[in-house]
Amino acid sequence: MTYVMELGDVRRGDTAAAGGKAVGLGGLIQAGLPVPPGVVLTTAAYADFVAGNNLGALIQELAALPPDASPEDYDHASALIRTLFSKGAMPAAIQAELASAYEGLGGGDTAVSVRSSATAEDLASASFAGQQDSYLNVRGADALARAVIDCWASLWTARAMAYRSREGVPPAQVRLAVVIQQMVAADSAGVMFTANPANGRRDQTVISAAWGLGEAVVSGQVTTDDLTVDTYTGKVITRQTADKEVMTVPVENGTAKEQVADARRRAPVLDDAAAAELAAFGRRAAEHSGAPQDIEWARVGGTFFLLQSRPITALPEPAADVPTDWTVPYPKGLYFRASIVEQMPEPLSPLFADLIDGSVSRSLSALMNQALSPGSLREGDVRFPTVNGYAYYYYRTWPMLRMTGRTVPAMRALFSGKAHMGIAGWREHSHPRYERIIKEWSAQPPAGLSGAELLAGAQALLDAGTVYYTAVQSIIPLADMGELFFRACYKAVRRDGDPPAQDFLLGFDSEPIRAEKSLYDLAGWARSDPSLVAALLERPTPELAGCLRTGSAPAGVEDVLWQEWRFTFQEHLNLYGHAVYNLDFATPVPADNPSAQLETVKFYLRGQGTDPHERQRLLTGRREKLTLDVSGRLGPRRRALFLRVLKWAQETAPVREDALADVGLAWPLLRRLLLELGRRLVATGVIAAPEDVFWLRSAELQGAVEFGLAEADAGVALAGAARPVRAAAVEERRMLWRGQAKAAAPQMLPQRAWMEKALGSVMPAGPQHQSGDVIKGAGASSGRVTATARVLRGPEDFGLMQPGEVLVARMTTPAWTPLFTMASAVVTDVGGPLSHSSIVAREYGIPAVLGTGVATQRLAGGRKVSVDGDAGTVTIL
């Protein structure tokens, strides 16, 4: 039997025989890259050693540890298994081939390295790096045989067994091959990542370098120089030269540490030319393998050798640097992230940013000029620009002061319903107008519209939504004033032992609550058939979403039953699927991706949560009893005032929720129109995927519509480009967006101390420079909870939410309501006691601390926290 393979003969399909490390080295050799000569002793040799010494059953018995095994259990099992290996004898056939292979590498006293190459190692999904042992500077056939047996035994180190258990790899599935190579007595060595692991950028190569051998670099035992190199030009972007006190050197049959000579301690290991040469090798390795690589390298006498190459695991999507310069585009004005901006917690996609700027400016100017007087706002007085991708309201200084002076007429318009303002204006003008425009465009199937018509429809629907939201902004202060007035009135009549004011405002219907009850009823509908319940609970949510989209029934469910339930679920989406997570139309709405809604149905099917119908009934009964108790002890005049103010607060709060929930009423259709444009642009070779349309600039889309879509309608694609025309620009903008998304956008610009002092308290996000273990915000719903924090950036993270966790987000909209059923508490960066988050949290009876400014940054990584909704604090435990 042949136990040895030349490294150059190992191919990608040989993992089962040669292991991941040997496959990586074989790929480097086939790419023409410098690799030390070597062979691989295959997994067949390991298997025959185990069988020849009757170790298989014993190993499996000792390695079969329970899921809750302690570190001591792993240590004990590992010691026993490795003792078995040390007492084993090398079969003669393996010994002979191993000795022959060693002769081929030089024999005699030639130094070689002996490294593990496991079948579950150096994979794209998990690297298993450092779990087995390596042996360097091994000399002589006998020493090589001992090193091979020790390497085999290292498959069963405590750390390796624990790692495989966490990764779900059963003990019976692993085998170990051994890579044997001529030893490189390196002058310097290190590690190279062909993509930047910190920001995911594929155009940056990151190199760590130290004097001596590289094993100590890999294990983190020595300090290293760190360089970032432009992958394509070879230019060194950043360099940090360390004080390198010690290095690893070869000694007889092993390695040792020694002091670095003073002259070299602070000298750079690689100059710019050497770094560029090494980065070029890395680029070739990545291109050959088709994925970014984690490479170990060594250098001797000015010549580089690559010692290992494996895919980089858990590499983030490419992101640009986090912005730090917040220079504003227009002078002589103030910038605020408030009001509509609260619905845009992240940087805007390029197309939305371009279209929304003019749309908001036009709608706000028109509303103010109608409500107050013509000329109240002039061209350029108000804008909606972005700074580092984040949306801001911009007001010229003097027009803003002029508007402030017209507060009284504005309040009069607010209560009159004039020009779409106030509840009457919303109910009689704004909402009907919005619905009418949507209905007009819904009557025209997107596939039958020209490119120009699709673009015109998208702009018309966006404008309609902007006008609608501008009108809704007049409802928000009415609702806020109603609650504030009631709280003040109640405070004047409240006695010791009376419940908090919020109890008088609970139990009312609103669109988010109706949506929750609808999902609860969908779960109840499903309980009528065990096969449907089993399918919904056992199938992954993405699979169920696909079945809803295609109409195909999950396995085990009758088609007729599935179609009935699917039809009912679609009715839910028709009513509530327009609720936006984020006003940027690049973000899907539930009508596009109902995963959060399906998770809520599963939550109820598992018997978790409470019946929202019963909860509302109990809250209503309590509210009515409290009202009778308090009003009954008041005199006629005070009772009349109390009931009048209470009625105001009770009527306006649900209207605000209804109004806000319908902001995205046009978004499902708006997205369909733009995605239809995207599909046509894919056909003409402008973009790579329909969703890329959101990452075009408005002028680019307009140009494509005018010059490219006629060809698309005729089935002719643009020619002459190896990839879509705008593909590189789209990738660059996505990368820029990811970097911007990591920034903490200032609430006000320009950044001035006096602005923060004068206006900071009225901004929707709290201080962004909080330190210490206690994060302060606004207590918005009473109660105290200790639980694990779950930071969610948007709907793409909703599947991570586990029942009982603390929901942490930049902000929430009505579309986030399904998650409130699972959450034990809510914490946000933006918001206050009168915001949507507070209203829903109170309805659910869970604590809420809002407007912390920093919660999403400070609580990332699953921190355990104590949320105090009364004190308005979040304590990191």
Side-chain angles (χ1 to χ4, degrees):
M1 182 175 185
T2 300
Y3 292 108
V4 174
M5 296 176 66
E6 294 289 333
L7 281 177
D9 295 334
V10 179
R11 297 295 189 267
R12 290 184 182 180
D14 292 331
T15 302
K21 186 179 278 91
V23 169
L25 288 168
L28 293 176
I29 295 170
Q30 291 142 31
L33 293 163
V35 175
V39 298
V40 57
L41 190 64
T42 66
T43 56
Y46 170 86
D48 285 358
F49 173 88
V50 169
N53 289 279
N54 298 312
L55 303 181
L58 286 170
I59 291 172
Q60 295 306 312
E61 180 181 348
L62 291 168
L65 295 172
D68 60 348
S70 67
E72 291 76 17
D73 294 332
Y74 280 107
D75 288 337
H76 180 65
S78 173
L80 293 176
I81 294 173
R82 299 185 78 170
T83 298
L84 294 174
F85 273 87
S86 68
K87 293 180 178 180
M90 180 80 77
I94 301 175
Q95 180 95 23
E97 284 200 39
L98 184 61
S100 176
Y102 182 59
E103 286 298 318
L105 294 175
D109 196 37
T110 301
V112 295
S113 63
V114 178
R115 290 187 172 94
S116 65
S117 183
T119 53
E121 184 175 24
D122 293 355
L123 307 177
S125 57
S127 73
F128 292 79
Q131 301 309 310
Q132 285 77 233
D133 293 338
S134 297
Y135 300 90
L136 303 181
N137 204 36
V138 177
R139 297 174 183 269
D142 291 341
L144 174 59
R146 287 195 303 272
V148 166
I149 293 175
D150 289 342
C151 193
W152 281 337
S154 73
L155 185 63
W156 303 102
T157 62
R159 65 177 181 272
M161 288 194 292
Y163 187 100
R164 290 195 296 269
S165 176
R166 290 195 301 272
E167 294 294 327
V169 179
Q173 287 187 4
V174 291
R175 298 286 186 274
L176 193 70
V178 178
V179 170
I180 303 161
Q181 292 176 280
Q182 284 185 2
M183 181 73 183
V184 177
D187 301 323
S188 59
V191 177
M192 167 172 58
F193 292 91
T194 66
N196 192 325
N199 57 28
R201 291 186 60 165
R202 275 62 170 176
D203 60 344
Q204 294 180 353
T205 296
V206 177
I207 300 171
S208 293
W211 299 118
L213 302 179
E215 291 301 306
V217 176
V218 175
S219 60
Q221 297 177 21
V222 296
T223 54
T224 62
D225 292 354
D226 297 312
L227 302 88
T228 304
V229 182
D230 186 300
T231 301
Y232 299 100
T233 67
K235 180 181 178 181
V236 175
I237 302 169
T238 65
R239 174 189 290 275
Q240 293 181 342
T241 302
D243 181 358
K244 299 169 285 292
E245 296 183 47
V246 297
M247 63 181 183
T248 303
V249 297
V251 296
E252 185 176 353
N253 274 320
T255 62
K257 289 189 178 68
E258 70 174 33
Q259 294 293 314
V260 176
D262 288 343
R264 295 207 299 171
R265 279 182 56 169
R266 294 176 178 81
V269 174
L270 300 176
D271 60 20
D272 285 7
E277 180 185 359
L278 182 57
F281 286 145
R283 178 181 175 184
R284 286 170 57 189
E287 289 174 347
H288 179 79
S289 66
Q293 297 291 294
D294 168 2
I295 296 171
E296 294 178 25
W297 60 270
R299 192 183 191 213
V300 56
T303 300
F304 282 108
F305 292 94
L306 306 187
L307 308 180
Q308 179 170 306
S309 182
R310 57 178 169 240
I312 301 175
T313 56
L315 187 67
E317 290 292 327
D321 294 336
V322 178
T324 56
D325 179 14
W326 295 88
T327 302
V328 297
Y330 309 118
K332 298 181 180 179
L334 298 178
Y335 294 72
F336 300 98
R337 278 187 56 74
S339 188
I340 190 174
V341 178
E342 294 177 48
Q343 308 282 322
M344 305 174 195
E346 296 179 324
L348 305 186
S349 62
L351 184 60
F352 185 76
D354 286 351
L355 298 183
I356 195 68
D357 184 4
S359 188
V360 167
S361 302
R362 290 190 297 272
S363 66
L364 190 58
S365 296
L367 183 70
M368 290 297 99
N369 290 335
Q370 292 174 30
L372 302 177
S373 63
S376 295
L377 284 177
R378 305 182 184 96
E379 179 71 25
D381 284 350
V382 60
R383 294 177 183 269
F384 201 68
T386 60
V387 182
N388 289 325
Y390 288 89
Y392 282 85
Y393 268 120
Y394 161 78
Y395 294 94
R396 281 182 180 165
T397 305
W398 287 112
M400 185 175 70
L401 295 175
R402 186 172 63 247
M403 291 294 295
T404 304
R406 299 185 180 182
T407 301
V408 173
M411 293 298 295
R412 193 179 300 120
L414 192 66
F415 284 93
S416 70
K418 177 183 177 182
H420 296 250
M421 294 189 76
I423 292 177
W426 167 77
R427 184 175 287 122
E428 297 169 14
H429 303 291
S430 307
H431 200 278
R433 175 185 179 275
Y434 195 20
E435 288 183 311
R436 184 175 63 254
I437 293 172
I438 295 169
K439 184 176 181 181
E440 290 170 356
W441 282 99
S442 297
Q444 307 174 68
L449 298 175
S450 68
E453 289 170 332
L454 288 169
L455 188 54
Q459 184 68 69
L461 290 168
L462 180 63
D463 286 346
T466 306
V467 169
Y468 175 82
Y469 190 88
T470 303
V472 170
Q473 288 184 84
S474 68
I475 295 177
I476 296 172
L478 283 175
D480 292 351
M481 283 189 290
E483 181 166 339
L484 290 172
F485 270 88
F486 171 70
R487 286 177 179 274
C489 183
Y490 180 60
K491 185 178 180 180
V493 300
R494 184 181 180 183
R495 296 176 179 174
D496 289 342
D498 281 350
Q502 67 186 43
D503 287 13
F504 291 83
L505 307 177
L506 302 178
F508 288 97
D509 238 359
S510 64
E511 188 158 316
I513 301 302
R514 290 191 292 272
E516 179 204 0
K517 291 190 290 189
S518 173
L519 292 172
Y520 182 85
D521 294 342
L522 275 164
W525 196 108
R527 286 194 187 94
S528 64
D529 189 280
S531 67
L532 182 55
V533 172
L536 290 172
L537 289 179
E538 295 171 6
R539 297 290 185 278
T541 297
E543 179 185 331
L544 292 174
C547 291
L548 287 170
R549 184 171 56 254
T550 62
S552 58
V557 180
E558 291 185 7
D559 185 67
V560 172
L561 177 67
W562 176 253
Q563 297 306 332
E564 289 179 356
W565 193 83
R566 175 175 174 255
F567 175 80
T568 307
F569 192 89
Q570 186 59 52
E571 284 187 321
H572 170 88
L573 293 180
N574 292 341
L575 288 171
Y576 308 112
H578 59 268
V580 295
Y581 305 106
N582 179 335
L583 270 178
D584 190 333
F585 49 48
T587 304
V589 293
D592 302 309
N593 180 5
S595 295
Q597 288 66 33
L598 286 168
E599 288 290 346
T600 303
V601 171
K602 288 184 174 185
F603 178 75
Y604 285 132
L605 283 176
R606 288 191 291 264
Q608 298 169 308
T610 58
D611 178 347
H613 299 281
E614 179 64 11
R615 184 191 68 226
Q616 189 175 37
R617 186 187 68 79
L618 292 174
L619 289 173
T620 300
R622 174 172 169 76
R623 181 192 72 225
E624 292 174 349
K625 182 179 184 303
L626 291 174
T627 303
L628 287 174
D629 289 346
V630 174
S631 63
R633 67 179 187 231
L634 300 177
R637 292 185 179 179
R638 299 182 78 192
R639 182 188 306 120
L641 176 61
F642 174 81
L643 293 175
R644 187 179 303 118
V645 175
L646 176 59
K647 182 181 179 183
W648 177 15
Q650 290 176 338
E651 288 180 347
T652 52
V655 171
R656 173 176 59 182
E657 293 301 290
D658 287 342
L660 284 172
D662 277 354
V663 169
L665 203 58
W667 263 231
L669 177 58
L670 172 55
R671 283 178 48 83
R672 285 200 296 273
L673 295 181
L674 289 173
L675 288 171
E676 176 63 27
L677 271 174
R679 281 185 282 272
R680 299 186 194 184
L681 293 175
V682 170
T684 56
V686 176
I687 53 179
E691 293 77 11
D692 290 349
V693 70
F694 302 121
W695 298 88
L696 297 178
R697 307 300 326 192
S698 175
E700 293 170 345
L701 182 56
Q702 185 69 47
V705 166
E706 292 176 358
F707 301 112
L709 292 185
E711 288 83 354
D713 292 336
V716 179
L718 297 177
R723 60 188 305 212
V725 176
R726 297 294 179 187
V730 166
E731 290 174 5
E732 184 74 20
R733 288 165 192 166
R734 288 183 188 272
M735 185 173 73
L736 178 64
W737 185 95
R738 295 186 192 104
Q740 293 170 335
K742 297 177 183 178
Q747 292 289 287
M748 296 170 286
L749 292 174
Q751 292 178 285
R752 301 284 189 270
W754 69 266
M755 287 177 59
E756 178 68 32
K757 187 174 182 179
L759 302 173
S761 62
V762 299
M763 299 306 293
Q768 296 175 315
H769 308 291
Q770 296 193 54
S771 60
D773 291 335
V774 178
I775 301 171
K776 296 180 180 179
S781 182
S782 298
R784 295 176 180 81
V785 161
T786 298
T788 300
R790 175 67 68 180
V791 177
L792 302 180
R793 302 292 177 183
E796 67 278 5
D797 293 341
F798 281 9
L800 303 175
M801 185 75 187
Q802 298 298 312
E805 292 181 328
V806 175
L807 168 59
V808 183
R810 286 194 174 186
M811 47 75 69
T812 69
T813 67
W816 290 66
T817 301
L819 296 181
F820 282 62
T821 63
M822 304 183 196
S824 59
V826 177
V827 177
T828 66
D829 290 346
V830 176
L834 305 176
S835 67
H836 161 80
S837 303
S838 66
I839 293 172
V840 178
R842 286 183 234 152
E843 197 78 26
Y844 283 62
I846 58 177
V849 176
L850 311 180
T852 64
V854 297
T856 55
Q857 297 176 42
R858 298 286 310 283
L859 302 181
R863 306 294 298 273
K864 193 169 186 180
V865 297
S866 179
V867 180
D868 189 331
D870 298 291
T873 60
V874 181
T875 304
I876 303 172
L877 303 178

